[in-house]
Amino acid sequence: MPVNIVIDSAYAQNITININKDSSESTEINDIKLSASLRESALHIDQLNIESPDWEIDLSGSVILKNNYSTELNIEWSSADLSQYNYKGQGVISGNANKLTVTHVLDGTVSAQLNGVIMNPVNKPEWQANIDIKNIIFADYGLDFPSGFPLGFP
């Protein structure tokens, strides 16, 4: 008999994840919010939002947990502060157990777009991707180059 699980709303806050055994390095999570369901073999994530002091991630989409593992996941993220640089990105992972297509757009001090394919992601992953760098704001790095130098950006 298939099992159906529905999480209308789950919430956790003030979580510390220790990176190593002696707790000398850790990551703080302010909030985690989840709304998802598992019906028969279909996992659907309405919202998975994770917030930390430095970044935020939103994930949604679905995965069919049988046959070819049909997948469609959307992600949006932002950094509140990576040193002094703010970034945000959004992307999509779609496909199945034979081939996943990955697209990702990065905005911030560096603006770029990645388009890639992962062949055989489960058994023997092979990756191929193109990255198109749209813009680099050199002044944000304290460099005094002309706009877009040396890549010829306007």
Short mmCIF file of all heavy atoms in Angstrom, two decimals, residues 40-91:
data_model
loop_
_atom_site.label_atom_id
_atom_site.label_comp_id
_atom_site.label_asym_id
_atom_site.label_seq_id
_atom_site.Cartn_x
_atom_site.Cartn_y
_atom_site.Cartn_z
N GLU A 40 2.50 8.57 -3.17
CA GLU A 40 3.00 7.41 -3.89
C GLU A 40 4.48 7.61 -4.18
O GLU A 40 5.28 7.63 -3.26
CB GLU A 40 2.14 7.12 -5.11
CG GLU A 40 0.72 6.76 -4.73
CD GLU A 40 -0.13 6.30 -5.89
OE1 GLU A 40 0.44 5.92 -6.93
OE2 GLU A 40 -1.35 6.33 -5.75
N SER A 41 4.87 7.84 -5.40
CA SER A 41 6.31 7.98 -5.70
C SER A 41 6.67 9.40 -6.12
O SER A 41 7.77 9.63 -6.61
CB SER A 41 6.70 7.00 -6.80
OG SER A 41 5.97 7.28 -7.97
N ALA A 42 5.77 10.35 -5.90
CA ALA A 42 6.02 11.72 -6.33
C ALA A 42 6.33 12.60 -5.12
O ALA A 42 5.48 12.80 -4.25
CB ALA A 42 4.81 12.28 -7.08
N LEU A 43 7.55 13.10 -5.06
CA LEU A 43 7.96 14.06 -4.04
C LEU A 43 7.78 15.45 -4.63
O LEU A 43 8.37 15.77 -5.66
CB LEU A 43 9.42 13.84 -3.63
CG LEU A 43 10.03 14.91 -2.71
CD1 LEU A 43 9.31 14.92 -1.36
CD2 LEU A 43 11.52 14.68 -2.55
N HIS A 44 6.96 16.26 -3.98
CA HIS A 44 6.74 17.62 -4.45
C HIS A 44 7.10 18.59 -3.31
O HIS A 44 6.55 18.48 -2.21
CB HIS A 44 5.29 17.84 -4.88
CG HIS A 44 5.07 19.21 -5.44
ND1 HIS A 44 5.52 19.59 -6.67
CD2 HIS A 44 4.49 20.30 -4.89
CE1 HIS A 44 5.22 20.86 -6.88
NE2 HIS A 44 4.59 21.31 -5.80
N ILE A 45 8.02 19.50 -3.61
CA ILE A 45 8.44 20.51 -2.63
C ILE A 45 7.80 21.83 -3.04
O ILE A 45 8.17 22.41 -4.06
CB ILE A 45 9.96 20.64 -2.59
CG1 ILE A 45 10.60 19.31 -2.24
CG2 ILE A 45 10.38 21.73 -1.59
CD1 ILE A 45 12.11 19.26 -2.45
N ASP A 46 6.80 22.26 -2.28
CA ASP A 46 6.19 23.56 -2.55
C ASP A 46 7.16 24.67 -2.15
O ASP A 46 7.34 25.64 -2.88
CB ASP A 46 4.89 23.74 -1.76
CG ASP A 46 3.82 22.78 -2.22
OD1 ASP A 46 3.59 22.68 -3.44
OD2 ASP A 46 3.22 22.11 -1.35
N GLN A 47 7.81 24.50 -0.98
CA GLN A 47 8.76 25.49 -0.51
C GLN A 47 9.72 24.84 0.48
O GLN A 47 9.30 24.17 1.41
CB GLN A 47 8.06 26.65 0.19
CG GLN A 47 9.03 27.65 0.80
CD GLN A 47 8.38 28.61 1.78
OE1 GLN A 47 7.43 28.26 2.47
NE2 GLN A 47 8.90 29.81 1.84
N LEU A 48 11.00 25.03 0.23
CA LEU A 48 12.03 24.78 1.21
C LEU A 48 12.86 26.05 1.26
O LEU A 48 13.54 26.39 0.30
CB LEU A 48 12.90 23.58 0.84
CG LEU A 48 14.12 23.34 1.77
CD1 LEU A 48 13.67 23.13 3.21
CD2 LEU A 48 14.94 22.17 1.27
N ASN A 49 12.72 26.77 2.35
CA ASN A 49 13.43 28.03 2.52
C ASN A 49 14.38 27.89 3.70
O ASN A 49 13.96 27.48 4.79
CB ASN A 49 12.44 29.18 2.77
CG ASN A 49 13.16 30.48 3.09
OD1 ASN A 49 13.34 30.80 4.27
ND2 ASN A 49 13.57 31.20 2.08
N ILE A 50 15.66 28.19 3.47
CA ILE A 50 16.68 28.13 4.52
C ILE A 50 17.35 29.48 4.59
O ILE A 50 17.85 29.99 3.58
CB ILE A 50 17.72 27.02 4.24
CG1 ILE A 50 17.02 25.67 4.05
CG2 ILE A 50 18.73 26.96 5.37
CD1 ILE A 50 17.94 24.56 3.56
N GLU A 51 17.34 30.09 5.78
CA GLU A 51 17.96 31.40 5.98
C GLU A 51 19.05 31.30 7.03
O GLU A 51 18.85 30.69 8.08
CB GLU A 51 16.93 32.42 6.47
CG GLU A 51 15.90 32.81 5.45
CD GLU A 51 14.94 33.87 5.97
OE1 GLU A 51 15.38 34.72 6.78
OE2 GLU A 51 13.77 33.83 5.57
N SER A 52 20.18 31.91 6.72
CA SER A 52 21.28 32.03 7.67
C SER A 52 21.62 33.51 7.79
O SER A 52 21.08 34.32 7.04
CB SER A 52 22.48 31.22 7.21
OG SER A 52 23.26 31.97 6.30
N PRO A 53 22.53 33.87 8.67
CA PRO A 53 22.92 35.28 8.74
C PRO A 53 23.54 35.79 7.43
O PRO A 53 23.45 36.98 7.14
CB PRO A 53 23.95 35.31 9.87
CG PRO A 53 23.60 34.14 10.73
CD PRO A 53 23.11 33.09 9.77
N ASP A 54 24.15 34.91 6.65
CA ASP A 54 24.88 35.34 5.46
C ASP A 54 24.22 35.00 4.13
O ASP A 54 24.62 35.50 3.09
CB ASP A 54 26.30 34.74 5.46
CG ASP A 54 27.12 35.25 6.62
OD1 ASP A 54 26.91 36.40 7.03
OD2 ASP A 54 27.96 34.49 7.12
N TRP A 55 23.25 34.09 4.11
CA TRP A 55 22.66 33.67 2.85
C TRP A 55 21.24 33.15 3.05
O TRP A 55 20.82 32.86 4.15
CB TRP A 55 23.52 32.61 2.15
CG TRP A 55 23.96 31.49 3.06
CD1 TRP A 55 25.14 31.40 3.73
CD2 TRP A 55 23.21 30.32 3.42
NE1 TRP A 55 25.17 30.25 4.47
CE2 TRP A 55 24.00 29.56 4.30
CE3 TRP A 55 21.95 29.84 3.09
CZ2 TRP A 55 23.59 28.35 4.85
CZ3 TRP A 55 21.53 28.63 3.63
CH2 TRP A 55 22.35 27.90 4.50
N GLU A 56 20.54 33.03 1.91
CA GLU A 56 19.18 32.49 1.91
C GLU A 56 19.00 31.64 0.66
O GLU A 56 19.47 32.01 -0.42
CB GLU A 56 18.15 33.61 1.92
CG GLU A 56 16.72 33.12 1.93
CD GLU A 56 15.70 34.23 2.03
OE1 GLU A 56 16.09 35.40 2.21
OE2 GLU A 56 14.51 33.92 1.91
N ILE A 57 18.32 30.50 0.80
CA ILE A 57 18.07 29.60 -0.31
C ILE A 57 16.58 29.26 -0.34
O ILE A 57 15.98 28.97 0.71
CB ILE A 57 18.86 28.28 -0.17
CG1 ILE A 57 20.37 28.54 -0.22
CG2 ILE A 57 18.45 27.28 -1.25
CD1 ILE A 57 21.21 27.32 0.07
N ASP A 58 15.97 29.31 -1.53
CA ASP A 58 14.60 28.85 -1.76
C ASP A 58 14.65 27.75 -2.81
O ASP A 58 15.19 27.96 -3.89
CB ASP A 58 13.71 29.99 -2.27
CG ASP A 58 13.26 30.90 -1.17
OD1 ASP A 58 12.60 30.40 -0.24
OD2 ASP A 58 13.56 32.10 -1.24
N LEU A 59 14.06 26.62 -2.48
CA LEU A 59 14.02 25.48 -3.40
C LEU A 59 12.58 25.03 -3.55
O LEU A 59 11.83 24.98 -2.57
CB LEU A 59 14.87 24.33 -2.84
CG LEU A 59 14.90 23.04 -3.65
CD1 LEU A 59 15.81 23.23 -4.87
CD2 LEU A 59 15.40 21.89 -2.80
N SER A 60 12.19 24.70 -4.78
CA SER A 60 10.87 24.14 -5.04
C SER A 60 10.97 23.21 -6.24
O SER A 60 11.92 23.28 -7.00
CB SER A 60 9.84 25.25 -5.31
OG SER A 60 10.18 25.95 -6.49
N GLY A 61 10.00 22.34 -6.37
CA GLY A 61 9.99 21.46 -7.53
C GLY A 61 9.53 20.07 -7.17
O GLY A 61 8.95 19.84 -6.11
N SER A 62 9.82 19.12 -8.07
CA SER A 62 9.36 17.76 -7.86
C SER A 62 10.33 16.74 -8.43
O SER A 62 11.09 17.02 -9.36
CB SER A 62 7.97 17.57 -8.46
OG SER A 62 8.02 17.84 -9.84
N VAL A 63 10.28 15.55 -7.83
CA VAL A 63 11.06 14.40 -8.28
C VAL A 63 10.14 13.18 -8.21
O VAL A 63 9.48 12.96 -7.19
CB VAL A 63 12.31 14.16 -7.39
CG1 VAL A 63 13.08 12.93 -7.86
CG2 VAL A 63 13.20 15.39 -7.35
N ILE A 64 10.10 12.42 -9.27
CA ILE A 64 9.37 11.16 -9.27
C ILE A 64 10.37 10.08 -8.84
O ILE A 64 11.38 9.86 -9.50
CB ILE A 64 8.79 10.82 -10.67
CG1 ILE A 64 7.92 11.97 -11.18
CG2 ILE A 64 8.02 9.51 -10.62
CD1 ILE A 64 6.73 12.31 -10.32
N LEU A 65 10.10 9.42 -7.72
CA LEU A 65 11.06 8.52 -7.10
C LEU A 65 10.94 7.08 -7.59
O LEU A 65 11.03 6.13 -6.81
CB LEU A 65 10.89 8.58 -5.57
CG LEU A 65 11.06 9.96 -4.95
CD1 LEU A 65 10.72 9.94 -3.47
CD2 LEU A 65 12.47 10.47 -5.18
N LYS A 66 10.77 6.92 -8.88
CA LYS A 66 10.76 5.59 -9.48
C LYS A 66 11.04 5.73 -10.96
O LYS A 66 11.10 6.84 -11.50
CB LYS A 66 9.44 4.86 -9.23
CG LYS A 66 8.25 5.44 -9.94
CD LYS A 66 7.02 4.58 -9.70
CE LYS A 66 5.85 5.09 -10.54
NZ LYS A 66 4.66 4.28 -10.37
N ASN A 67 11.19 4.61 -11.61
CA ASN A 67 11.48 4.55 -13.04
C ASN A 67 12.69 5.41 -13.38
O ASN A 67 13.78 5.14 -12.90
CB ASN A 67 10.27 4.93 -13.88
CG ASN A 67 9.09 3.99 -13.66
OD1 ASN A 67 9.30 2.83 -13.32
ND2 ASN A 67 7.89 4.49 -13.83
N ASN A 68 12.50 6.47 -14.09
CA ASN A 68 13.61 7.29 -14.61
C ASN A 68 13.92 8.51 -13.74
O ASN A 68 14.71 9.34 -14.10
CB ASN A 68 13.28 7.73 -16.04
CG ASN A 68 14.47 7.67 -16.94
OD1 ASN A 68 15.50 7.13 -16.57
ND2 ASN A 68 14.34 8.24 -18.12
N TYR A 69 13.27 8.65 -12.60
CA TYR A 69 13.48 9.75 -11.66
C TYR A 69 13.34 11.12 -12.33
O TYR A 69 14.22 11.96 -12.27
CB TYR A 69 14.84 9.64 -10.96
CG TYR A 69 14.89 8.47 -10.01
CD1 TYR A 69 15.22 7.20 -10.46
CD2 TYR A 69 14.56 8.65 -8.68
CE1 TYR A 69 15.23 6.12 -9.60
CE2 TYR A 69 14.59 7.57 -7.80
CZ TYR A 69 14.92 6.31 -8.28
OH TYR A 69 14.92 5.24 -7.42
N SER A 70 12.22 11.34 -12.94
CA SER A 70 11.93 12.63 -13.57
C SER A 70 12.07 13.73 -12.53
O SER A 70 11.50 13.64 -11.43
CB SER A 70 10.52 12.61 -14.15
OG SER A 70 10.19 13.86 -14.68
N THR A 71 12.83 14.79 -12.88
CA THR A 71 13.19 15.84 -11.92
C THR A 71 12.97 17.22 -12.50
O THR A 71 13.30 17.46 -13.66
CB THR A 71 14.68 15.70 -11.52
OG1 THR A 71 14.89 14.40 -10.97
CG2 THR A 71 15.10 16.77 -10.54
N GLU A 72 12.42 18.10 -11.70
CA GLU A 72 12.30 19.53 -12.05
C GLU A 72 12.44 20.31 -10.74
O GLU A 72 11.52 20.33 -9.92
CB GLU A 72 10.95 19.82 -12.70
CG GLU A 72 10.73 21.26 -13.08
CD GLU A 72 11.43 21.68 -14.37
OE1 GLU A 72 11.65 20.81 -15.23
OE2 GLU A 72 11.73 22.86 -14.52
N LEU A 73 13.61 20.90 -10.53
CA LEU A 73 13.88 21.65 -9.30
C LEU A 73 14.27 23.09 -9.65
O LEU A 73 15.05 23.32 -10.57
CB LEU A 73 15.01 21.00 -8.50
CG LEU A 73 14.73 19.60 -7.96
CD1 LEU A 73 15.99 19.01 -7.35
CD2 LEU A 73 13.60 19.63 -6.94
N ASN A 74 13.72 24.02 -8.89
CA ASN A 74 14.02 25.44 -9.06
C ASN A 74 14.70 25.93 -7.79
O ASN A 74 14.27 25.59 -6.69
CB ASN A 74 12.74 26.25 -9.28
CG ASN A 74 11.97 25.74 -10.47
OD1 ASN A 74 12.42 25.86 -11.59
ND2 ASN A 74 10.80 25.16 -10.23
N ILE A 75 15.74 26.73 -7.97
CA ILE A 75 16.46 27.27 -6.82
C ILE A 75 16.70 28.76 -7.01
O ILE A 75 16.99 29.21 -8.12
CB ILE A 75 17.78 26.52 -6.57
CG1 ILE A 75 18.43 26.99 -5.26
CG2 ILE A 75 18.73 26.67 -7.73
CD1 ILE A 75 19.57 26.10 -4.78
N GLU A 76 16.53 29.49 -5.94
CA GLU A 76 16.90 30.91 -5.88
C GLU A 76 17.69 31.09 -4.60
O GLU A 76 17.33 30.51 -3.57
CB GLU A 76 15.67 31.82 -5.87
CG GLU A 76 14.91 31.82 -7.17
CD GLU A 76 13.81 32.86 -7.20
OE1 GLU A 76 13.90 33.86 -6.47
OE2 GLU A 76 12.86 32.66 -7.97
N TRP A 77 18.74 31.88 -4.66
CA TRP A 77 19.55 32.10 -3.48
C TRP A 77 20.11 33.52 -3.51
O TRP A 77 20.15 34.17 -4.55
CB TRP A 77 20.69 31.08 -3.39
CG TRP A 77 21.65 31.15 -4.54
CD1 TRP A 77 21.55 30.49 -5.74
CD2 TRP A 77 22.83 31.95 -4.63
NE1 TRP A 77 22.60 30.83 -6.55
CE2 TRP A 77 23.41 31.72 -5.89
CE3 TRP A 77 23.46 32.83 -3.75
CZ2 TRP A 77 24.57 32.35 -6.30
CZ3 TRP A 77 24.63 33.46 -4.16
CH2 TRP A 77 25.17 33.20 -5.41
N SER A 78 20.53 33.96 -2.36
CA SER A 78 21.19 35.26 -2.27
C SER A 78 22.15 35.22 -1.10
O SER A 78 21.96 34.46 -0.14
CB SER A 78 20.17 36.39 -2.08
OG SER A 78 19.48 36.22 -0.87
N SER A 79 23.19 36.00 -1.23
CA SER A 79 24.13 36.15 -0.11
C SER A 79 23.89 37.51 0.50
O SER A 79 23.79 38.51 -0.21
CB SER A 79 25.57 36.03 -0.59
OG SER A 79 25.92 37.16 -1.38
N ALA A 80 23.76 37.54 1.79
CA ALA A 80 23.60 38.82 2.47
C ALA A 80 24.94 39.52 2.54
O ALA A 80 25.01 40.73 2.49
CB ALA A 80 23.03 38.61 3.87
N ASP A 81 26.00 38.73 2.64
CA ASP A 81 27.34 39.32 2.71
C ASP A 81 28.37 38.22 2.62
O ASP A 81 28.56 37.46 3.56
CB ASP A 81 27.50 40.09 4.02
CG ASP A 81 28.84 40.82 4.10
OD1 ASP A 81 29.67 40.67 3.19
OD2 ASP A 81 29.04 41.52 5.08
N LEU A 82 29.03 38.09 1.50
CA LEU A 82 30.21 37.24 1.37
C LEU A 82 31.38 38.19 1.39
O LEU A 82 31.73 38.78 0.38
CB LEU A 82 30.18 36.44 0.06
CG LEU A 82 29.14 35.34 -0.03
CD1 LEU A 82 29.13 34.73 -1.42
CD2 LEU A 82 29.42 34.26 1.00
N SER A 83 31.95 38.40 2.53
CA SER A 83 32.93 39.46 2.78
C SER A 83 32.21 40.78 2.57
O SER A 83 31.47 41.20 3.42
CB SER A 83 34.16 39.32 1.91
OG SER A 83 34.80 38.10 2.17
N GLN A 84 32.35 41.40 1.41
CA GLN A 84 31.64 42.65 1.15
C GLN A 84 30.81 42.57 -0.13
O GLN A 84 30.22 43.54 -0.54
CB GLN A 84 32.64 43.78 1.03
CG GLN A 84 33.61 43.62 -0.12
CD GLN A 84 34.74 44.62 -0.07
OE1 GLN A 84 34.98 45.25 0.94
NE2 GLN A 84 35.44 44.77 -1.17
N TYR A 85 30.75 41.42 -0.75
CA TYR A 85 30.10 41.28 -2.05
C TYR A 85 28.75 40.60 -1.90
O TYR A 85 28.64 39.56 -1.29
CB TYR A 85 30.98 40.50 -3.01
CG TYR A 85 32.40 40.99 -3.01
CD1 TYR A 85 33.42 40.19 -2.53
CD2 TYR A 85 32.69 42.27 -3.46
CE1 TYR A 85 34.72 40.67 -2.52
CE2 TYR A 85 33.99 42.74 -3.43
CZ TYR A 85 35.00 41.93 -2.96
OH TYR A 85 36.28 42.41 -2.93
N ASN A 86 27.73 41.20 -2.46
CA ASN A 86 26.39 40.60 -2.46
C ASN A 86 26.14 39.93 -3.80
O ASN A 86 26.40 40.52 -4.85
CB ASN A 86 25.33 41.66 -2.19
CG ASN A 86 25.44 42.21 -0.78
OD1 ASN A 86 25.67 41.46 0.16
ND2 ASN A 86 25.27 43.51 -0.63
N TYR A 87 25.64 38.73 -3.75
CA TYR A 87 25.31 37.97 -4.95
C TYR A 87 23.92 37.39 -4.81
O TYR A 87 23.43 37.18 -3.71
CB TYR A 87 26.29 36.80 -5.14
CG TYR A 87 27.67 37.22 -5.56
CD1 TYR A 87 28.68 37.38 -4.62
CD2 TYR A 87 27.95 37.47 -6.89
CE1 TYR A 87 29.95 37.75 -5.01
CE2 TYR A 87 29.22 37.85 -7.29
CZ TYR A 87 30.22 37.99 -6.34
OH TYR A 87 31.47 38.36 -6.72
N LYS A 88 23.32 37.08 -5.96
CA LYS A 88 22.08 36.31 -5.96
C LYS A 88 22.10 35.45 -7.21
O LYS A 88 22.78 35.77 -8.20
CB LYS A 88 20.85 37.21 -5.90
CG LYS A 88 20.67 38.13 -7.09
CD LYS A 88 19.43 38.98 -6.91
CE LYS A 88 19.30 39.92 -8.10
NZ LYS A 88 18.09 40.73 -8.01
N GLY A 89 21.37 34.38 -7.15
CA GLY A 89 21.33 33.48 -8.28
C GLY A 89 20.01 32.76 -8.36
O GLY A 89 19.27 32.69 -7.38
N GLN A 90 19.74 32.25 -9.54
CA GLN A 90 18.56 31.42 -9.73
C GLN A 90 18.88 30.38 -10.79
O GLN A 90 19.65 30.64 -11.71
CB GLN A 90 17.34 32.24 -10.11
CG GLN A 90 17.49 33.01 -11.40
CD GLN A 90 16.28 33.89 -11.65
OE1 GLN A 90 15.68 34.43 -10.73
NE2 GLN A 90 15.91 34.01 -12.90
N GLY A 91 18.29 29.22 -10.62
CA GLY A 91 18.58 28.17 -11.57
C GLY A 91 17.51 27.10 -11.59
O GLY A 91 16.58 27.09 -10.78
#
